[in-house]
Amino acid sequence: MKPSIDIFFLGRQVELLYRNVRLGQIMSVINAGFLIWVAHDIFGSPALLAWWVAAVLVAGLRVALATRHARLDDAQRQKQAVRWQYRARVGAMASGLTWSVGALLLMIDSDTTLQLFTAFVMAGMVAGAVPVLAADKIAFRLYAWPIILAVAIASLGMDLLHIAFSMMTFLFLLIATRSADYFYATLHDSFRLEHEKDQLLEHLEQARRQSELSNRAKTEFLANISHELRTPMNGIIGLGELLSLETLTAEQHELLVPLRRSSDELLRLINNLIELSALEAGQISLSPAPFAVIEMLRALLDNQQRAAQAKGLKLVEEDDPRLPSLLIGDIDRLRQIFTHLVGNAIKFTEHGQITISAQIESSNDDALTIRFCVSDTGPGIAADKLRLLDGVLVQTDGSAMRRHGGIGVGLPIARKLIELMGGRLDIESTVGIGSRFSFSLPFVRPLSDSQL
């Protein structure tokens, strides 16, 4: 075993040695009392009374040791584990020698009935010590072997009964020792698993803290680099606008148009990075206000119509006729969610249509939950790639990203905004058929609408 495991095992071992000492010694005193009571009716002996006093004293000393050990804190127990293990072994040996003397006093030159009763009590004492002392092989042997050997010696005789008695005693010694060894091995394995579990939990906690630090550093980096990029980018865009006001040749104007388009696109990507870093840092809050959900969806379709028509795609709107005219929610965040989801659908769909639907999922007089869905007829996403969509920078297919452009932050932003508004993004996709992005959001009815 490694040193760290040795220290841990020793500490747990000593803890078990002292855990049940009080109960065990109470039973020892009771058993000694029964033996004295039974034997006193058969023969009286001052030595027998002296043995009972010695047994009580040894039991009291062991209880006192266990009490002192229980008062130690964990650090002291771990530091003094070797010393307390030695004391436990000495206590076990003292008990074993005391009871072996008692076995000799009660069994030598006594009748068979008292011998059998004494052997029965001694066997019970040894068997009861297995779960208490087997945590330490040496402690168990120091206790059990003197008792069983004393019984074997005291039961020696020439007749068949005593010969069988002695043989069974040695057999019991072997069985009890093997049982204690098996118990010790099981405890050892349990301690090892417990130690490995504690180490695993510690490593997991360290990994969690490291992951949090990495996420925080990533968020701060995204925020800082995005802000640093946006400042000169605004300067480039401003210069481009000023340059467009000048008298330019056709060739210069032809160069200026893609310059302004590229700078606007780059600024949009930078703003997305800033927004994602703010969402990761929890710096975005909601601003609920009344809005018309149907008009919002239609305005969104109108804004995306040009991009869809450029690729020959059809935009379809499916509204629940039960939708109220007004709702209370953050329309700006909702519009951002649809902008990213519909934008991605248009980007990755080559033919067919994109459907945007809004259906009432649940409703009462004061609030309702709407299930929104954006589905497309794009290439679909393989099942083994879907789990990658939980990342911050989503790129399930690098070739597709290079072909269509973008940096893969649209979907994470939409997911974060949905979670901020109290929902969860669900993704279903089939390769060759298309994908479906759906989420449910709670909204409050305006007071005037609930009274209608």
Side-chain angles (χ1 to χ4, degrees), residues 67 99 301:
T67 303
W99 279 89
L301 289 179

Side-chain angles (χ1 to χ4, degrees), residues 341-357:
L341 293 181
V342 176
N344 278 349
I346 294 175
K347 180 191 298 185
F348 293 103
T349 302
E350 299 297 338
H351 55 81
Q353 68 178 34
I354 296 168
T355 304
I356 303 169
S357 65

Side-chain angles (χ1 to χ4, degrees), residues 206-226:
Q206 291 177 352
R208 185 188 65 80
R209 291 196 296 266
Q210 185 62 37
S211 177
E212 289 179 351
L213 291 175
S214 299
N215 285 334
R216 191 177 301 116
K218 172 201 65 183
T219 300
E220 292 176 356
F221 171 78
L222 284 176
N224 293 334
I225 194 66
S226 300

